[in-house]
Amino acid sequence: MPTVAEIFETMVYGPAPESRDPARAWLDGHGRELQLFINGTWVAPQSGQYLETRSPADNQPLARVAAAGPADVDAAVAAARAAFPAWSALPGHARARYLYAIARQVQKQARLLAVLESLDNGKSIRETRDIDIPLVARHFYYHAGWAQLMASELAGYVSLGVVGQIIPWNFPLLMLAWKIAPALAMGNTVVLKPAKFTPLTALAFAEIVQAAGLPPGVVNILTGDAGQVGDTLVRHPDVDKIAFTGSTDVGRSLRRATAGSGKRLSLELGGKSPFIVFDDADLDSVVEGVVDAIWFNQGQVCCAGSRLLVQETIAEPLYAKLRERMEKLRVGDSLDKAIDIGAIVGPVQLETIRGLVQQGVDEGATLWQPSWACPTEGCYFPPSLFTNVAPAATIAQVEIFGPVLVAMTFRTPSEAVALANNTRYGLAASVWSDNLNLALDIARRVKAGTVWVNSTNLFDAAAGFGGYRESGFGREGGREGLYEYVRPAWDERVGSMQYAVGSDDAVGSRQYAVGSDDAVGSRQYAVGSDESDGRRQAAVGSEDGVGSSTQNSKLKTQNSKLKTQPAFPPIDRTPKLYIGGKQARPDSGYSRPVYGPEGHLLGEVGEGNRKDIRNAVEAAHKAAGWADSTGHSRAQILYYIAENLAARAAEFAARLVASTGQAPEQAGAEVEASIDRLFTYAAWADKYDGQVHHTPIRNVTIAMPEAIGVIGIACPHEHPLLGCVALVAPAIAMGNTVVVIPSEPHPLSATDLYQVFDTSDLPAGVVNIVTGARELLTRVLAEHDDVDALWYFGTAAGSTLVEEASAGNMKRTWVNYGHPRAWHDPVQGAGPEFLREATQVKNIWVPYGE
Ligand code: NAP
């Protein structure tokens, strides 16, 4: 034992262990055997089977934990279903009190939770005590507030129902809080499955739920194996939503497993986040930032800054400083308060890390590790730095999920952005520079859901967290996260069962001419009625205004003319496809006939195929600069489109009459509603703002809605003009570019828009239109890896196809499961839901102060 004087001389750390007594007492209190938490009580698994959980710090067993099976999943879902009506009907204030009580209980049990988490996961007690557990309490406090405010702030939205939640092992209790707090606040009941490696704090949380007096069945916790519990939960017919955090591969399988079921899905997946350092950054701060970015939680962090991108001129000095700092990092027992890096969660994960590190060496990168050795008992891996890494190397692309940093260099800001975005993921990024203008510009250009400026790994309940691209979709935290747990009140579809029925198979026949929501349309827009008149004139504001009695009679005359023989043979007008701002001949060389309601030939349109879709996607990508244009400019162009459509309103209405057989009044109302939609989204283009979140550290957290990229849009067959405009307008208003498949039986209204677009200053490639067989073309879009989102309004079978085939690149999808939507209705057919679907929120954290 060294003397105090010697310690002053050498400055070596001694052990500073946190007592494991609270955890030991808790485990002993349960006889070291933990049951399932169903309907407010502890229940033995029906299979009678248990799994062992061990401490990765010393490989010693901690407890046996129940292994739930399908019958237990049924029981838990039934309990959650039974609890749902009363829980969702509680006033928000009552739910707020429960959430507040949970937050208080978490704080009271903080020491037990911190120690238990460290033991079960191997993470350092400093982190569980100072980061994980305080953030858990914060999430429940924050969402108690949203429960209180739900009725006023989310008016028009209601709870979803029973939510199945599946979480990983890296932040066991924190991930539980991210899932359960918003779900309960919004009036849902939950069945949660913790990861097999780390079940203990979820079970301790069950006791907190009991202590807070939550009604039985509101929270149910099922431990066990992924195949038994996770899979059954995901496929359970009485679950309304799955919220998942975990690896991208499992996320992809969940996307496929839930496809077409109508279950809502949010996926928080993996990452390979860039940590970008410019030559004017403060290198000492950068080094501490890197420590937090990649050695926090042993690098087992979804948003770990695992790719260090350094401006070339400072690369060597930074590497030297890093090596010096790494030499001083301490790896050891998770309960030692003086360690920096704890144990890897388990032998399997340790082997994965070892394998990838070896692959990095084999592929020619240079590995550096500190001179000291890790403890030999338990699962430890030293902090590691790879330099000389090719951007395409496995270690530069694959999530290692361990304490391994991969460094690359760049010369210019644009090169930094290109390298940063050279990944299939898009979870987070850090940007380090003393030039805030540069840092914010890079933050804007990097494709990631969270960007930290001169900081890293900052989290708070008030800021949404979630990914772009293959890092998943949906947000947790912030106002943006609440929408994952509610649905519009008008949308009566609940759960998966009802989705099997609806289909628009009738589409294509003339039945669709009078769509099921026509009643709504005529109610709202009834041409000639007193209310609609004022509105009509205001919207159209020109003598072309459709719907006036003169106009109506004009339409009728035109319509009857259309039905009688013209004096001369009509000039053949076969619209081609509309790609990159030009009419393009379809690759097939074929066209398809378009028939009117009586079966007579109305004209022909191009027969688009796979190659045409590929060309359209390419054109849409070329027009990506549209996202950088100002909201004001986009609004101007939308107004201009509206103006040009209004100028040709009679012609468009006549086309609708001829195509669908609908009454001229209805056709006029459809044109008018389309003009109204264009005005609506022109209005929103410069008003759909973000927020500045109140995160409790000295910083500005800017939540910015951004364009998603290229959106594929398969239009409904009904309302051939309005169905198209109502979808295209919000998408382009928010800065996306689109590839549109118009109504298959009635494509001519969409192809007539070519000339409107051409005369409205719409840049080439922002809107691309490919006519043809909707389902075939939709599949091509769904399978296309360069399409970022896909909206589909068609059949139930088509919706299933879209969700399944989109799993390839995890594109965001918005489908209708075969259910018609009232396109004329301003609540169903327009509004914030469309804007949310057209954007993704990026949270940029900018600290202030010296
Ligand atoms: P994982 O293997 O995907 O497992 C996550 C959870 O899913 C576990 O509870 C697991 O159960 C369960 N599961 C596995 N296969 C399943 C299936 N087929 N059906 C239903 N459930 C299934 O991920 P992990 O290794 O635990 O966690 C690491 C990953 O999570 C990393 O990729 C990391 O980036 C990601 N992550 C993301 C975020 C985020 O917010 N984006 C946050 C944290 C972690 P078992 O434990 O029983 O296998």
Side-chain angles (χ1 to χ4, degrees), residues 525-534 536 546-549 552 665 669 672:
Y525 289 90
V527 175
S529 78
D530 288 349
E531 314 89 81
S532 66
D533 254 27
R536 185 180 62 245
V546 176
S548 68
S549 47
N552 287 343
E665 292 77 10
E672 192 186 330

Side-chain angles (χ1 to χ4, degrees), residues 506-551:
V507 172
S509 77
R510 65 209 58 146
Q511 294 176 34
Y512 249 74
V514 187
S516 58
D517 62 353
D518 277 357
V520 180
S522 47
R523 190 177 62 241
Q524 305 272 342
Y525 289 90
V527 175
S529 78
D530 288 349
E531 314 89 81
S532 66
D533 254 27
R535 176 192 186 110
R536 185 180 62 245
Q537 282 162 16
V540 177
S542 90
E543 60 185 36
D544 288 330
V546 176
S548 68
S549 47
T550 332
Q551 190 64 46

Side-chain angles (χ1 to χ4, degrees), residues 166-170 175 193-196 224-226 230-231 234 244-247 250 253-254 268-271 302 399 401 427 465:
I166 300 174
I167 55 173
W169 43 258
N170 58 343
M175 291 299 104
K193 178 207 157 347
K196 196 168 42 193
D225 195 58
D231 195 53
V234 166
F244 172 80
T245 298
S247 58
V250 174
S253 74
L254 264 53
E268 303 287 347
L269 309 176
C302 51
E399 186 182 34
F401 225 55
L427 195 53
F465 186 87

